[in-house]
Amino acid sequence: MKFQLSLFLITFTALYALAVYYVWRRGCQYLSFTSSLWKRLYWLLLIIAASLFPLGRMAELLFLPKEFADNLVLGGSYWLAILYYLFLTAF
């Protein structure tokens, strides 16, 4: 059972990371950043957005204030919807 859960988590994390990377690459092409500073800021924004949902769920498990965890989960949920939309429109 632990092996199956570990395999699922590794696979899901890898696919999620690849989707975020793909959106980053296509976004850089579309926005045609000339400076590496803008690319880094865009990457940082995507990393923060991609981390919101898992951090919110961990905050719930760590018994942090409910409002804080709910806001993280809400922001992460919106990010997942945006990621899905951007991934579909990038093809």
Side-chain angles (χ1 to χ4, degrees):
M1 185 70 170
K2 288 183 181 181
F3 175 74
Q4 291 174 342
L5 181 63
S6 298
L7 184 63
F8 170 76
L9 289 176
I10 290 170
T11 305
F12 177 77
T13 304
L15 289 175
Y16 186 57
L18 285 172
V20 171
Y21 177 73
Y22 180 75
V23 167
W24 176 76
R25 291 285 297 195
R26 296 293 289 186
C28 285
Q29 288 174 356
Y30 179 75
L31 298 172
S32 62
F33 290 129
T34 55
S35 169
S36 67
L37 174 68
W38 288 110
K39 284 183 183 180
R40 288 182 185 149
L41 288 174
Y42 181 53
W43 183 247
L44 181 66
L45 177 71
L46 286 180
I47 293 297
I48 291 170
S51 301
L52 285 175
F53 190 78
L55 287 176
R57 291 299 179 188
M58 283 187 251
E60 289 176 347
L61 292 175
L62 297 174
F63 303 110
L64 292 175
K66 183 171 174 21
E67 295 81 21
F68 178 70
D70 287 346
N71 287 332
L72 286 177
V73 170
L74 182 65
S77 298
Y78 278 117
W79 164 249
L80 287 173
I82 291 168
L83 178 68
Y84 179 69
Y85 179 75
L86 289 174
F87 192 74
L88 285 178
T89 58
F91 284 110

